[in-house]
Amino acid sequence: MIPIDVASKRGETIPVPSRPAKRMQAIPLAVEGGWASPAPGPVTVGLPFPAGMLANPGGLSLRDPDGRPATLQARTLARWPDGSAKWVLLDFIATQDPERRAAWSLELRTADPARAEATPLRVAQADGAIEVDTGAVVFRLDRSTFPLAGARVGGEDVLDPGSTSAVLVDRSGRPRPPRVEALAMEEAGPVRVTVRVEGGFPGRSPCRFLARLCFFAGTGLVRLRFTVVNPRRPRHPGGLWDLGDPGSIRFRDLSLSVGLSGPGEAALSWSAEEGQPPRSAPGGPLEIYQDSSGGEHWQSRNHVDYLGRIPVAFRGYRLRLGGIEERGLRAEPIVSIRGPLGQLTAAMPEFWHQFPKAVEADGRALRLRLFPGQAVGDFELQGGEQKTHSAWLHVGPPGTTPIDPLGWARRPARAFASPDWYAKSGAVPYLTAPPSIPSPRTDALLGGILDGDRSLPTRRETVDEYGWRHFGEVHADHEEAYYDGPRPIVSHYNNQYDMVLGFAVHALRTADARWADLLDALARHVIDIDIYHTDRDKAAYNGGLFWHTDHYRDAASSTHRSFSSANRPPGRDYGGGPSNEHNYTTGLLHYHYLTGDPQARDAVLSLADWVVGMDDGSRNVLGVVDDGPTGLASQTAEADYHGPGRGAGNSVNALLDAWLLTREPGYLAKAEELIRRVVHPEDDLPALDLLDAERRWSYTVFLSVLSRYLALKAEAGEVDPVYAYAQAALVHYARWMAEHEAPYLDHPDRLEYPTETWAAQDLRKANILRLASAHADEPLRPAMLRKADALGDRAWADLTGFPSRDVARSVALVMLEGLREEHLRRRPPDAAPRPAFDCPTGPPSAFRGQKRRVFDQLKRPGGLIVASVRIADPTRWVRYLDWRRAVPARRPPR
């Protein structure tokens, strides 16, 4: 084995900040546990820092509640333009206390920040294998045995490789063992080591998988996150995305097994639910199987399968030990087996939430059934769908107290700085920290979101928004307003107005773990289920994000993919797929900053790459004639409309997020290309008919993103000609808004559905005017602010007048736009930088998409000749076919 100095893996080349460093005071960190346990548990949290404060996170130190130094791992996730740390990921080990928030303290060391932390964690690699020595256990990973090839405790091999396996059972009942193709150390530090494993299950169910195993200093803990992916494309005939598509993969079971070495049968201990004391037995077999959510609506048609069945057999879970069977509603099991050489304990977070699940103990082995064969019927992983399951393992000596090593795993600790720290860091724009900037209207409307009969957790129960595909989703209760089917409507909110970002912002401004719980569940759902994880479909869809399910219709068997054959109206076009109008990335970006989750980072980049790909005219057959931009990234509502709208706005926003993650100039250049395509400082605004609410309401989404673009460019010190162009365009549109805009509900007759959402949308108008005022001079600036106040007051009055003011769509808007409106009302933005040069623009020119350009060309005699010559050019076909052949090349799952 070749030893690797773990501390040295943390080294970075740090740019020297261009501004004087701010003095860092001690930062209190509140660590909140939800379950009393004498065993330590890992804590991972992202923390923002003000610009210029922290050059090197290696200089940070941590003290526990008793003032003792604690081992800390710190890694920069994002930097300010001056090179200082903006977001830092912290890892440390803490004990749990459900009764109080333990007060930890983060400080900046005065000693040499480059010195290594004292840590027992060591890593070695040789011959394709990796050994991780945590100081308590030496774990071994290789390609022949997954998930673990071995574990030594006190020099003894306590795991049996013959009992350790991962198996997918196909529809015919044949086991398909995994083929590990890549094994690599992804991250190493003094607290945590992460090993990434990639491979596939060959055969009739050719799933891909990605696993990340984390090991923690001084412990026998292993965190396993296992993602199974169907990389195939569905056929989606007519743009319909029902279960049962030929591109789906169906299988019977997917399980992981880990066994103890040594003679005889292992002693058994378990606790099936939180609050239940541990129970013991001399041996097994033990089965704890969760068949349904256990809730009142456990048989909801939300769970319908491709055969039209609701594949649940009974309410809750069953526990079988030998010939004895017990029943319960919601299991959160911890199971432990103890042999002569060691003890193995396992827990599966969200066991009942993400049913069906099973954990079994038999002889000397634990089996974790991620997709259990006990369930009714097959499991269907749709084309481009993936699912990530998590499990905790603990390996220890035989004297370990049963259950205790993972007693905290049901409610892992969360760490928060103060809301004031988050606000003052400047890392999240317009973040308010009560009571310094009160937000009474927002807080009043959101007052029941966490508790009570109208809380989001309570609303989950309405349609049983649980199960491996649904948990984390928000029930779209606003869709009931014009729904004439059986109640409640099964409708999924999915992706509209970035509810992930809303949850993140409110978790920071309140330091309330309940907001963080909502954030965590929804972000993981979006990453797994809502993103289209394939590169084998057309460029317009590959890697994209699916819409919310169809308005005022039951989701039927489309799950979270918008269009179902059950809803197809006779004699009308119907259907579609991922589109630029529902591409939300900023919440996922901040989820990555707050958790370090690499899947969230990859999701943001995937969605930005989708924008680039969908607009690349060379990636479809029309590119043989015209390989210019398709226009799919900039269109909104209509194929030929490339003015300001949510389609272009969301595309630009995704590209900005990818630029923030990578600082790759190509992302910013593409964003600026779209800005110049969509708006112009001399646009004929009456001709755009922006007051046509049904067709053009979302122009405000684009202007909001344009404001963000200007702020990010100014922050980066890039006040260049494109900045000047965008600034002039924003002021041009905002001047028109100040003169002509009115509340939507002034003319309800112009609205197809005059709901509370229109009032909430008016909040964005007020915010745009305030943001644009930073770029305007007298007398326009005060006029904009007066109009913003009037629109904001009217929006709140209209919104609170609706009994349905707190439905999901309204909540999504108020979490962000409402909070921003109250912040900007009290603190209007400072004047933005002005370029020291005139902005040369030229007259506006209308953009035409690829299809329109080709169609117009083929109508002209000369154009037809040019097209014929291009079609006959073999080099154009070679380029297109090369791209098509490259599509099925398997990328590592993200």
Side-chain angles (χ1 to χ4, degrees), residues 619-639:
R619 297 192 187 186
N620 63 66
V621 71
L622 292 180
V624 175
V625 176
D626 180 335
D627 59 2
T630 65
L632 293 175
S634 54
Q635 69 185 38
T636 299
E638 303 145 24

Side-chain angles (χ1 to χ4, degrees), residues 219-261:
T219 77
L221 293 169
V222 183
R223 183 182 69 200
L224 171 63
R225 288 180 175 163
F226 185 88
T227 303
V228 59
V229 187
N230 177 1
R232 303 195 300 193
R233 59 153 292 184
R235 297 298 127 190
H236 53 82
L240 305 177
W241 301 79
D242 293 283
L243 292 169
D245 188 282
S248 293
I249 290 175
R250 293 196 287 275
F251 55 94
R252 285 293 305 130
D253 185 278
L254 178 55
S255 301
L256 308 174
S257 299
V258 183
L260 291 175
S261 59

Side-chain angles (χ1 to χ4, degrees), residues 238 240 550-551 553 563 567-575 752-753:
L240 305 177
D550 204 4
H551 283 309
R553 292 178 172 92
F563 298 104
N567 294 326
R568 179 169 45 194
R572 283 176 49 197
D573 289 338
Y574 183 74
E752 183 178 7
Y753 301 111

Side-chain angles (χ1 to χ4, degrees), residues 3 6 65 81 135 274 307 473 491 521 706 863 881:
V6 170
E274 184 175 342
L307 295 174
E473 182 62 277
S491 183
L706 193 61
L881 294 174

